[in-house]
Amino acid sequence: MSNGVLLQFAKAPTTFDSLHFAFLVDDEHFDRSLAALVESRTEYWGDPQRSHNEIRHEDGGRALYVLDPGGHLVELLTRPYV
């Protein structure tokens, strides 16, 4: 990534327990990510329990959750937790 962060993904299935990764992104990145999820028909949720199929609007921003191929919960949010 442009800020020097390196993400490496293991091929599923893995032997890791399910984890939660949260990424603070700007509004433009969130919009592009959401559009890509919608276009690819990837399921996403507004809560970590995966019970609401819509983005979350709290803390003055937006957030969504999606499962990665290894079953880990990835959260994108536009504002830090209050």
Side-chain angles (χ1 to χ4, degrees), residues 59-70:
D59 300 325
R62 299 175 291 164
L64 64 81
Y65 297 82
V66 63
L67 288 178
D68 77 359

Side-chain angles (χ1 to χ4, degrees), residues 25-37 55 62 78:
V25 298
D26 62 28
D27 287 309
E28 184 180 323
H29 187 109
F30 188 93
D31 291 339
R32 286 193 321 267
S33 299
L34 179 58
L37 292 169
I55 62 172
R62 299 175 291 164
T78 60

Side-chain angles (χ1 to χ4, degrees), residues 14-82:
T14 66
T15 58
F16 298 106
D17 291 333
S18 181
L19 300 171
H20 170 222
F21 298 95
F23 296 93
L24 181 62
V25 298
D26 62 28
D27 287 309
E28 184 180 323
H29 187 109
F30 188 93
D31 291 339
R32 286 193 321 267
S33 299
L34 179 58
L37 292 169
V38 170
E39 183 177 326
S40 66
R41 295 185 177 157
T42 300
E43 193 169 14
Y44 63 89
W45 305 272
D47 64 322
Q49 295 79 23
R50 299 180 289 166
S51 61
H52 301 327
N53 294 84
E54 56 192 33
I55 62 172
R56 186 180 75 228
H57 296 272
E58 292 179 10
D59 300 325
R62 299 175 291 164
L64 64 81
Y65 297 82
V66 63
L67 288 178
D68 77 359
H72 302 292
L73 195 59
V74 177
E75 177 183 10
L76 297 179
L77 63 155
T78 60
R79 300 291 180 272
Y81 300 125
V82 176

